[in-house]
Amino acid sequence: EVHRREGDLWQCLEGEVTFTVNGELVGATERVREDGSPNPDELVGERIDGGTTYTLTPDDWLWIPPGVPHQHTAVGTARLVIIKIRG
């Protein structure tokens, strides 16, 4: 996904999580809100091509600025904190 106006500050509390950031968001479309209207501030896509991967373990932090494609995956349980920072 891509947030056009918000940055994400992530902290890993438990487990291990892999983020892919930067690169190109393939098949990007506007996220749809619960009421069915489009949300022009957020894009979702099929995958990220050409991104950089980072693996977070407990106490690691990752900053993702507004406009940067990102996705995350975890094998097993991972607990994370996200702080949204509006730009």
Side-chain angles (χ1 to χ4, degrees):
E1 62 186 11
V2 172
H3 309 290
R4 290 183 169 147
R5 296 179 186 219
E6 291 180 331
D8 290 348
L9 181 60
W10 292 89
Q11 182 188 24
C12 181
L13 300 175
E14 178 183 326
E16 186 174 288
V17 61
T18 300
F19 281 83
T20 302
V21 298
N22 295 314
E24 179 184 350
L25 183 64
V26 176
T29 59
E30 288 181 347
R31 183 179 300 277
V32 176
R33 295 183 174 110
E34 289 182 20
D35 67 3
S37 65
N39 181 353
D41 291 334
E42 290 193 28
L43 300 174
V44 294
E46 302 166 18
R47 67 181 185 279
I48 295 174
D49 284 349
T52 302
T53 58
Y54 300 95
T55 300
L56 274 61
T57 57
D59 297 324
D60 288 342
W61 291 82
L62 179 63
W63 166 243
I64 302 171
V68 174
H70 59 283
Q71 68 181 26
H72 64 278
T73 58
V75 176
T77 300
R79 288 189 324 135
L80 305 169
V81 171
I82 181 174
I83 301 170
K84 297 283 201 177
I85 301 171
R86 187 130 177 124

Coordinates of all heavy atoms in Angstrom, one line a residue:
E1 N 0.8 -1.2 0.0 CA 0.0 0.0 0.0 C 0.9 1.2 0.0 O 2.1 1.2 0.3 CB -1.0 0.0 1.2 CG -0.3 0.0 2.5 CD -1.2 -0.2 3.7 OE1 -2.4 -0.5 3.5 OE2 -0.8 0.1 4.8
V2 N 0.2 2.4 -0.3 CA 0.9 3.7 -0.2 C 0.0 4.6 0.5 O -1.2 4.7 0.1 CB 1.2 4.2 -1.7 CG1 1.7 5.6 -1.6 CG2 2.2 3.3 -2.4
H3 N 0.5 5.4 1.4 CA -0.3 6.4 2.1 C 0.3 7.8 1.6 O 1.5 8.0 1.7 CB -0.1 6.4 3.6 CG -0.3 5.1 4.2 ND1 -1.6 4.5 4.3 CD2 0.5 4.1 4.7 CE1 -1.5 3.3 4.8 NE2 -0.2 3.1 5.1
R4 N -0.6 8.5 0.9 CA -0.1 9.7 0.3 C 0.2 10.8 1.3 O 1.0 11.7 1.1 CB -1.1 10.2 -0.7 CG -1.2 9.3 -1.9 CD -2.2 9.9 -2.9 NE -2.0 9.2 -4.2 CZ -3.0 8.9 -5.0 NH1 -4.3 9.3 -4.7 NH2 -2.8 8.3 -6.2
R5 N -0.5 10.8 2.5 CA -0.4 11.9 3.4 C 0.1 11.5 4.8 O 0.4 12.4 5.6 CB -1.7 12.6 3.6 CG -2.3 13.3 2.4 CD -3.6 13.9 2.7 NE -4.2 14.4 1.4 CZ -4.8 15.5 1.4 NH1 -5.0 16.3 2.4 NH2 -5.4 15.9 0.2
E6 N 0.3 10.2 5.0 CA 0.7 9.7 6.3 C 2.0 8.9 6.2 O 2.1 8.1 5.3 CB -0.4 8.9 7.0 CG -1.6 9.6 7.4 CD -2.6 8.6 8.0 OE1 -2.6 7.4 7.7 OE2 -3.4 9.1 8.9
G7 N 2.8 9.1 7.2 CA 4.0 8.2 7.3 C 3.7 7.2 8.4 O 2.8 7.4 9.3
D8 N 4.3 6.0 8.3 CA 4.1 4.9 9.3 C 5.5 4.7 10.1 O 6.5 4.5 9.5 CB 3.8 3.6 8.7 CG 2.4 3.6 8.1 OD1 1.6 4.5 8.3 OD2 2.1 2.6 7.3
L9 N 5.4 4.8 11.4 CA 6.5 4.4 12.2 C 6.2 3.1 12.9 O 5.2 3.0 13.7 CB 6.8 5.5 13.3 CG 8.0 5.3 14.2 CD1 9.3 5.1 13.4 CD2 8.1 6.4 15.2
W10 N 6.9 2.0 12.6 CA 6.6 0.7 13.1 C 7.6 0.3 14.1 O 8.8 0.6 14.0 CB 6.7 -0.3 12.0 CG 5.6 -0.2 10.9 CD1 5.7 0.5 9.8 CD2 4.4 -0.9 10.9 NE1 4.5 0.4 9.1 CE2 3.7 -0.6 9.7 CE3 3.8 -1.8 11.8 CZ2 2.5 -1.1 9.4 CZ3 2.6 -2.4 11.4 CH2 1.9 -2.0 10.2
Q11 N 7.2 -0.4 15.2 CA 8.1 -1.0 16.1 C 7.7 -2.5 16.3 O 6.5 -2.8 16.5 CB 8.0 -0.3 17.5 CG 9.0 -1.0 18.5 CD 8.9 -0.5 19.9 OE1 7.9 -0.1 20.3 NE2 10.0 -0.7 20.7
C12 N 8.7 -3.4 16.2 CA 8.4 -4.8 16.5 C 8.5 -5.0 18.0 O 9.5 -4.7 18.6 CB 9.4 -5.6 15.7 SG 9.2 -7.4 15.9
L13 N 7.5 -5.6 18.5 CA 7.5 -6.0 20.0 C 7.8 -7.4 20.2 O 8.4 -7.8 21.2 CB 6.1 -5.7 20.6 CG 5.6 -4.2 20.5 CD1 4.2 -4.1 21.1 CD2 6.6 -3.3 21.3
E14 N 7.4 -8.3 19.3 CA 7.5 -9.7 19.5 C 7.6 -10.4 18.1 O 6.9 -10.0 17.2 CB 6.4 -10.2 20.3 CG 6.3 -11.7 20.5 CD 5.1 -12.1 21.3 OE1 4.6 -11.4 22.1 OE2 4.6 -13.3 21.0
G15 N 8.4 -11.5 18.0 CA 8.4 -12.2 16.7 C 9.3 -11.6 15.7 O 10.2 -10.8 16.1
E16 N 9.0 -11.9 14.5 CA 9.8 -11.4 13.4 C 8.9 -11.0 12.2 O 8.0 -11.8 11.9 CB 10.8 -12.5 12.9 CG 11.8 -12.1 11.9 CD 12.8 -13.2 11.7 OE1 13.7 -13.4 12.6 OE2 12.8 -13.8 10.6
V17 N 9.1 -9.9 11.6 CA 8.3 -9.4 10.5 C 9.2 -8.9 9.4 O 10.2 -8.2 9.7 CB 7.3 -8.4 10.9 CG1 8.0 -7.1 11.5 CG2 6.3 -8.0 9.8
T18 N 8.9 -9.2 8.1 CA 9.6 -8.7 7.0 C 8.8 -7.7 6.3 O 7.7 -7.9 5.9 CB 10.0 -9.9 6.0 OG1 10.7 -10.8 6.8 CG2 10.8 -9.4 4.8
F19 N 9.4 -6.5 6.0 CA 8.8 -5.4 5.3 C 9.5 -5.3 3.9 O 10.7 -5.5 3.8 CB 9.0 -4.1 6.0 CG 8.1 -3.8 7.1 CD1 8.3 -4.4 8.4 CD2 6.9 -3.1 6.9 CE1 7.5 -4.1 9.4 CE2 6.1 -2.8 8.0 CZ 6.3 -3.4 9.2
T20 N 8.7 -5.0 2.9 CA 9.2 -4.6 1.6 C 8.8 -3.2 1.4 O 7.6 -2.8 1.5 CB 8.7 -5.5 0.5 OG1 9.0 -6.9 0.8 CG2 9.3 -5.1 -0.9
V21 N 9.8 -2.3 1.1 CA 9.5 -0.9 1.0 C 10.2 -0.4 -0.3 O 11.1 -1.0 -0.8 CB 10.0 0.0 2.2 CG1 9.3 -0.5 3.5 CG2 11.5 -0.1 2.4
N22 N 9.7 0.8 -0.8 CA 10.2 1.4 -2.0 C 9.8 0.6 -3.2 O 8.8 -0.1 -3.1 CB 11.7 1.7 -1.9 CG 12.1 2.7 -0.9 OD1 11.5 3.7 -0.7 ND2 13.1 2.3 -0.1
G23 N 10.4 0.7 -4.3 CA 10.1 -0.1 -5.5 C 8.8 0.5 -6.1 O 8.4 1.6 -5.9
E24 N 8.1 -0.3 -6.9 CA 6.9 0.1 -7.6 C 5.7 -0.8 -7.1 O 5.8 -2.0 -7.1 CB 7.1 -0.2 -9.1 CG 5.9 0.2 -9.9 CD 6.1 -0.1 -11.4 OE1 7.2 -0.4 -11.8 OE2 5.1 -0.1 -12.1
L25 N 4.6 -0.1 -6.8 CA 3.4 -0.7 -6.4 C 2.7 -1.1 -7.7 O 2.3 -0.3 -8.5 CB 2.5 0.2 -5.6 CG 1.2 -0.4 -5.0 CD1 1.5 -1.5 -4.1 CD2 0.4 0.7 -4.4
V26 N 2.6 -2.4 -7.9 CA 2.0 -3.0 -9.2 C 0.5 -3.1 -9.0 O 0.0 -3.6 -8.0 CB 2.6 -4.3 -9.5 CG1 1.9 -4.9 -10.7 CG2 4.1 -4.2 -9.7
G27 N -0.3 -2.6 -10.0 CA -1.7 -2.7 -10.0 C -2.4 -1.8 -9.0 O -3.4 -2.1 -8.4
A28 N -1.8 -0.6 -8.8 CA -2.3 0.3 -7.8 C -3.7 0.8 -8.1 O -4.0 1.2 -9.2 CB -1.3 1.5 -7.7
T29 N -4.5 0.8 -7.1 CA -5.9 1.4 -7.1 C -6.2 2.1 -5.8 O -5.5 1.7 -4.8 CB -7.0 0.3 -7.4 OG1 -6.9 -0.7 -6.3 CG2 -6.8 -0.4 -8.7
E30 N -7.1 3.0 -5.8 CA -7.5 3.7 -4.5 C -8.2 2.7 -3.6 O -9.0 1.9 -4.0 CB -8.4 4.8 -4.8 CG -7.7 6.0 -5.4 CD -8.6 7.2 -5.7 OE1 -9.8 7.1 -5.6 OE2 -8.1 8.3 -6.0
R31 N -7.8 2.7 -2.3 CA -8.5 1.9 -1.3 C -9.9 2.4 -1.2 O -10.2 3.6 -1.4 CB -7.8 2.1 0.0 CG -8.4 1.2 1.1 CD -7.8 1.3 2.5 NE -6.4 1.0 2.5 CZ -5.9 -0.3 2.6 NH1 -6.7 -1.3 2.7 NH2 -4.6 -0.4 2.6
V32 N -10.8 1.4 -1.0 CA -12.2 1.7 -0.8 C -12.6 1.8 0.7 O -12.2 0.9 1.4 CB -13.1 0.7 -1.5 CG1 -14.6 0.9 -1.3 CG2 -12.8 0.6 -3.0
R33 N -13.3 2.9 1.1 CA -13.7 3.0 2.5 C -14.8 2.1 2.8 O -15.4 1.5 1.9 CB -14.1 4.5 2.7 CG -13.0 5.5 2.6 CD -13.6 6.9 2.9 NE -12.5 7.9 2.9 CZ -12.4 8.8 2.0 NH1 -13.3 8.9 1.0 NH2 -11.4 9.7 2.1
E34 N -15.1 1.9 4.1 CA -16.2 1.1 4.5 C -17.6 1.4 3.9 O -18.4 0.6 3.7 CB -16.3 1.0 6.0 CG -15.2 0.3 6.7 CD -15.3 0.3 8.2 OE1 -16.4 0.5 8.7 OE2 -14.3 0.1 8.9
D35 N -17.7 2.7 3.6 CA -19.0 3.2 3.0 C -19.0 3.0 1.5 O -20.0 3.4 0.8 CB -19.3 4.6 3.4 CG -18.3 5.6 2.8 OD1 -17.4 5.2 2.0 OD2 -18.5 6.8 3.1
G36 N -18.0 2.4 0.9 CA -17.9 2.1 -0.5 C -17.3 3.3 -1.3 O -17.1 3.1 -2.5
S37 N -17.0 4.4 -0.7 CA -16.4 5.5 -1.5 C -14.9 5.3 -1.6 O -14.2 4.7 -0.7 CB -16.7 6.8 -0.8 OG -16.1 6.9 0.5
P38 N -14.3 5.8 -2.7 CA -12.8 5.7 -2.8 C -12.1 6.6 -1.8 O -12.6 7.7 -1.4 CB -12.6 6.2 -4.2 CG -13.8 7.0 -4.6 CD -14.9 6.5 -3.8
N39 N -10.9 6.2 -1.4 CA -10.1 7.0 -0.5 C -8.8 7.4 -1.3 O -7.9 6.6 -1.5 CB -9.7 6.1 0.7 CG -8.8 6.9 1.7 OD1 -8.4 8.0 1.4 ND2 -8.5 6.3 2.8
P40 N -8.8 8.6 -1.8 CA -7.7 9.1 -2.6 C -6.4 9.2 -1.9 O -5.3 9.3 -2.5 CB -8.1 10.4 -3.2 CG -9.1 10.9 -2.2 CD -9.8 9.7 -1.6
D41 N -6.4 9.1 -0.5 CA -5.2 9.2 0.3 C -4.4 7.9 0.4 O -3.3 7.9 1.0 CB -5.5 9.8 1.7 CG -5.9 11.2 1.6 OD1 -5.5 11.9 0.6 OD2 -6.6 11.7 2.5
E42 N -5.1 6.8 0.0 CA -4.4 5.5 0.1 C -4.6 4.7 -1.1 O -5.6 4.6 -1.7 CB -5.0 4.7 1.3 CG -4.7 5.3 2.6 CD -5.0 4.3 3.8 OE1 -5.0 3.1 3.6 OE2 -5.3 4.8 4.9
L43 N -3.5 4.0 -1.5 CA -3.4 3.1 -2.7 C -3.1 1.7 -2.2 O -2.4 1.5 -1.2 CB -2.4 3.5 -3.7 CG -2.5 4.9 -4.3 CD1 -1.3 5.2 -5.2 CD2 -3.8 5.0 -5.1
V44 N -3.7 0.7 -2.8 CA -3.4 -0.7 -2.6 C -3.0 -1.3 -3.9 O -3.3 -0.8 -5.0 CB -4.6 -1.4 -2.0 CG1 -4.9 -0.9 -0.6 CG2 -5.8 -1.4 -2.8
G45 N -2.3 -2.4 -3.9 CA -1.9 -3.0 -5.1 C -1.7 -4.5 -4.9 O -1.9 -5.1 -3.8
E46 N -1.2 -5.2 -6.0 CA -1.0 -6.6 -6.0 C 0.3 -7.0 -5.3 O 0.4 -8.0 -4.6 CB -1.0 -7.1 -7.5 CG -2.2 -6.8 -8.2 CD -2.0 -7.1 -9.7 OE1 -1.1 -7.7 -10.1 OE2 -2.9 -6.5 -10.5
R47 N 1.3 -6.2 -5.6 CA 2.7 -6.5 -5.0 C 3.6 -5.3 -5.2 O 3.2 -4.3 -5.9 CB 3.3 -7.7 -5.7 CG 3.6 -7.5 -7.2 CD 4.1 -8.7 -7.9 NE 4.5 -8.4 -9.3 CZ 3.7 -8.3 -10.3 NH1 2.4 -8.5 -10.1 NH2 4.1 -8.0 -11.5
I48 N 4.8 -5.4 -4.7 CA 5.8 -4.4 -4.9 C 7.0 -5.0 -5.7 O 7.5 -6.0 -5.3 CB 6.3 -3.8 -3.6 CG1 5.2 -3.1 -2.8 CG2 7.5 -2.9 -3.8 CD1 5.6 -2.7 -1.4
D49 N 7.3 -4.4 -6.8 CA 8.5 -4.9 -7.6 C 9.7 -4.0 -7.3 O 9.5 -2.7 -7.3 CB 8.1 -4.8 -9.1 CG 7.3 -5.9 -9.6 OD1 7.0 -6.9 -8.8 OD2 6.8 -5.8 -10.8
G50 N 10.8 -4.6 -7.1 CA 12.1 -3.8 -7.0 C 12.2 -3.1 -5.7 O 13.0 -2.2 -5.5
G51 N 11.5 -3.6 -4.6 CA 11.6 -3.0 -3.3 C 12.8 -3.5 -2.5 O 13.5 -4.4 -3.0
T52 N 13.1 -2.9 -1.4 CA 14.1 -3.3 -0.5 C 13.4 -4.0 0.7 O 12.4 -3.5 1.2 CB 14.9 -2.1 0.0 OG1 15.4 -1.4 -1.1 CG2 16.0 -2.5 1.0
T53 N 14.0 -5.1 1.2 CA 13.4 -5.8 2.3 C 14.2 -5.6 3.6 O 15.4 -5.5 3.6 CB 13.3 -7.4 2.1 OG1 14.6 -7.9 1.8 CG2 12.4 -7.7 0.9
Y54 N 13.5 -5.5 4.7 CA 14.0 -5.3 6.0 C 13.3 -6.3 6.9 O 12.1 -6.4 6.9 CB 13.8 -3.9 6.5 CG 14.4 -2.8 5.7 CD1 13.6 -2.2 4.7 CD2 15.7 -2.4 5.9 CE1 14.2 -1.2 3.9 CE2 16.2 -1.4 5.1 CZ 15.5 -0.8 4.1 OH 16.0 0.2 3.4
T55 N 14.1 -7.0 7.8 CA 13.5 -7.9 8.8 C 13.6 -7.2 10.1 O 14.7 -6.8 10.6 CB 14.2 -9.2 8.8 OG1 14.0 -9.8 7.5 CG2 13.6 -10.2 9.8
L56 N 12.5 -7.0 10.8 CA 12.4 -6.5 12.1 C 12.3 -7.6 13.2 O 11.5 -8.5 13.0 CB 11.2 -5.5 12.3 CG 11.5 -4.0 11.8 CD1 11.8 -4.0 10.3 CD2 10.2 -3.2 12.1
T57 N 13.0 -7.4 14.2 CA 12.9 -8.3 15.4 C 12.6 -7.4 16.6 O 12.6 -6.2 16.5 CB 14.2 -9.1 15.6 OG1 15.3 -8.2 15.7 CG2 14.4 -10.1 14.4
P58 N 12.3 -8.0 17.8 CA 11.9 -7.1 18.9 C 12.9 -5.9 19.1 O 14.1 -6.1 19.1 CB 11.9 -8.1 20.1 CG 11.5 -9.4 19.4 CD 12.2 -9.4 18.1
D59 N 12.3 -4.8 19.4 CA 12.9 -3.5 19.6 C 13.4 -2.8 18.4 O 13.9 -1.7 18.5 CB 14.1 -3.6 20.6 CG 13.6 -4.1 22.0 OD1 12.4 -3.7 22.4 OD2 14.3 -4.8 22.7
D60 N 13.2 -3.4 17.2 CA 13.6 -2.7 15.9 C 12.5 -1.7 15.6 O 11.3 -2.0 15.8 CB 13.8 -3.7 14.8 CG 15.1 -4.5 14.9 OD1 16.0 -4.1 15.7 OD2 15.2 -5.5 14.2
W61 N 12.9 -0.6 14.9 CA 12.0 0.4 14.4 C 12.1 0.5 12.9 O 13.3 0.4 12.4 CB 12.2 1.7 15.1 CG 11.9 1.8 16.5 CD1 12.7 1.4 17.6 CD2 10.7 2.4 17.1 NE1 12.1 1.7 18.7 CE2 10.9 2.3 18.5 CE3 9.6 3.0 16.6 CZ2 9.9 2.7 19.4 CZ3 8.6 3.4 17.4 CH2 8.7 3.3 18.8
L62 N 11.1 0.9 12.2 CA 11.2 1.2 10.8 C 10.3 2.4 10.4 O 9.1 2.4 10.8 CB 10.7 0.0 9.9 CG 10.8 0.2 8.4 CD1 12.2 0.4 7.9 CD2 10.1 -1.0 7.7
W63 N 10.8 3.4 9.8 CA 10.1 4.6 9.4 C 9.8 4.5 7.9 O 10.7 4.3 7.1 CB 10.9 5.9 9.7 CG 10.4 7.1 9.0 CD1 11.0 7.9 8.0 CD2 9.1 7.7 9.2 NE1 10.3 8.9 7.6 CE2 9.1 8.9 8.3 CE3 8.0 7.5 10.0 CZ2 8.0 9.7 8.3 CZ3 6.9 8.3 9.9 CH2 6.9 9.4 9.1
I64 N 8.5 4.7 7.5 CA 8.1 4.6 6.1 C 7.4 6.0 5.8 O 6.3 6.3 6.3 CB 7.1 3.5 5.8 CG1 7.8 2.2 6.2 CG2 6.7 3.5 4.4 CD1 6.9 1.0 6.2
P65 N 8.1 6.9 5.1 CA 7.5 8.2 4.8 C 6.3 8.1 3.9 O 6.1 7.1 3.2 CB 8.7 8.9 4.1 CG 9.9 8.1 4.2 CD 9.4 6.7 4.5
P66 N 5.5 9.2 3.9 CA 4.4 9.3 3.0 C 4.8 9.1 1.6 O 5.9 9.5 1.2 CB 3.8 10.7 3.2 CG 4.3 11.1 4.5 CD 5.6 10.4 4.7
G67 N 4.0 8.4 0.8 CA 4.3 8.2 -0.6 C 5.1 7.0 -0.9 O 5.4 6.7 -2.1
V68 N 5.6 6.2 0.1 CA 6.5 5.1 -0.2 C 5.7 3.8 -0.1 O 5.0 3.5 0.9 CB 7.6 5.1 0.9 CG1 8.5 3.8 0.8 CG2 8.5 6.3 0.8
P69 N 5.8 3.0 -1.2 CA 5.1 1.7 -1.2 C 5.7 0.8 -0.1 O 6.9 0.8 0.2 CB 5.4 1.1 -2.5 CG 5.7 2.2 -3.4 CD 6.4 3.2 -2.5
H70 N 4.8 0.0 0.6 CA 5.2 -0.9 1.6 C 4.2 -2.0 1.8 O 3.1 -1.9 1.6 CB 5.5 -0.1 2.9 CG 4.3 0.5 3.5 ND1 3.8 1.7 2.9 CD2 3.4 0.2 4.5 CE1 2.7 2.1 3.6 NE2 2.5 1.2 4.5
Q71 N 4.8 -3.2 2.3 CA 4.0 -4.3 2.7 C 4.8 -5.1 3.7 O 6.0 -4.9 3.8 CB 3.7 -5.2 1.5 CG 4.9 -5.9 0.9 CD 4.5 -6.8 -0.3 OE1 3.5 -6.5 -1.0 NE2 5.3 -7.8 -0.5
H72 N 4.1 -5.9 4.5 CA 4.8 -6.7 5.5 C 4.1 -8.0 5.6 O 3.0 -8.2 5.3 CB 4.8 -6.0 6.9 CG 3.5 -5.8 7.5 ND1 2.6 -4.7 7.2 CD2 2.9 -6.5 8.5 CE1 1.6 -4.8 7.9 NE2 1.6 -5.9 8.7
T73 N 5.0 -9.0 6.0 CA 4.6 -10.4 6.2 C 5.3 -10.9 7.4 O 6.4 -10.5 7.8 CB 4.9 -11.3 5.0 OG1 6.3 -11.2 4.7 CG2 4.2 -10.8 3.7
A74 N 4.6 -11.9 8.0 CA 5.2 -12.6 9.2 C 4.9 -14.1 9.1 O 3.8 -14.5 8.7 CB 4.7 -12.0 10.5
V75 N 5.9 -14.9 9.5 CA 5.6 -16.3 9.7 C 5.4 -16.5 11.1 O 6.3 -16.2 11.9 CB 6.8 -17.1 9.1 CG1 6.6 -18.6 9.4 CG2 7.0 -16.9 7.6
G76 N 4.3 -17.0 11.5 CA 4.0 -17.1 12.9 C 3.4 -15.8 13.5 O 3.0 -15.0 12.7
T77 N 3.6 -15.7 14.8 CA 3.0 -14.5 15.4 C 4.0 -13.4 15.5 O 5.2 -13.6 15.9 CB 2.5 -14.9 16.9 OG1 1.5 -15.9 16.7 CG2 1.9 -13.7 17.6
A78 N 3.6 -12.2 15.2 CA 4.4 -11.0 15.4 C 3.5 -9.9 16.0 O 2.4 -9.7 15.5 CB 5.1 -10.5 14.1
R79 N 4.0 -9.2 17.0 CA 3.3 -8.1 17.6 C 4.0 -6.8 17.2 O 5.2 -6.7 17.4 CB 3.1 -8.2 19.1 CG 2.2 -9.3 19.5 CD 1.9 -9.3 21.0 NE 3.0 -8.9 21.8 CZ 3.0 -8.0 22.9 NH1 1.8 -7.4 23.1 NH2 4.0 -7.8 23.6
L80 N 3.3 -5.9 16.6 CA 3.8 -4.6 16.2 C 3.0 -3.5 16.7 O 1.8 -3.6 17.0 CB 3.8 -4.6 14.6 CG 4.4 -5.7 13.9 CD1 4.0 -5.6 12.4 CD2 5.9 -5.7 14.0
V81 N 3.7 -2.3 16.8 CA 3.1 -1.0 17.1 C 3.3 -0.2 15.9 O 4.3 -0.1 15.3 CB 3.7 -0.4 18.3 CG1 3.2 1.1 18.5 CG2 3.5 -1.2 19.6
I82 N 2.2 0.5 15.5 CA 2.3 1.5 14.4 C 1.8 2.8 14.9 O 0.8 2.9 15.5 CB 1.5 1.0 13.1 CG1 1.6 2.0 12.0 CG2 0.0 0.8 13.5 CD1 1.0 1.6 10.7
I83 N 2.6 3.8 14.5 CA 2.3 5.2 14.8 C 2.1 5.9 13.5 O 3.0 5.9 12.7 CB 3.4 5.9 15.7 CG1 3.6 5.1 17.0 CG2 3.0 7.3 15.9 CD1 4.8 5.6 17.8
K84 N 0.9 6.5 13.2 CA 0.6 7.2 12.0 C 1.0 8.6 12.2 O 0.6 9.3 13.2 CB -0.8 7.1 11.7 CG -1.3 5.7 11.4 CD -0.8 5.3 10.0 CE -1.6 4.1 9.4 NZ -1.2 3.8 8.1
I85 N 1.8 9.2 11.3 CA 2.2 10.6 11.4 C 1.7 11.3 10.1 O 2.2 11.0 9.0 CB 3.7 10.7 11.6 CG1 4.1 10.0 12.9 CG2 4.2 12.2 11.6 CD1 5.6 9.8 13.1
R86 N 0.8 12.2 10.3 CA 0.2 12.9 9.2 C 1.2 14.0 8.7 O 1.8 14.8 9.5 CB -1.1 13.6 9.6 CG -1.8 14.2 8.4 CD -3.2 13.7 8.4 NE -3.9 14.4 7.4 CZ -4.6 13.7 6.4 NH1 -4.6 12.4 6.5 NH2 -5.2 14.4 5.5
G87 N 1.5 14.0 7.4 CA 2.4 14.9 6.8 C 1.7 16.2 6.4 O 0.6 16.4 6.5

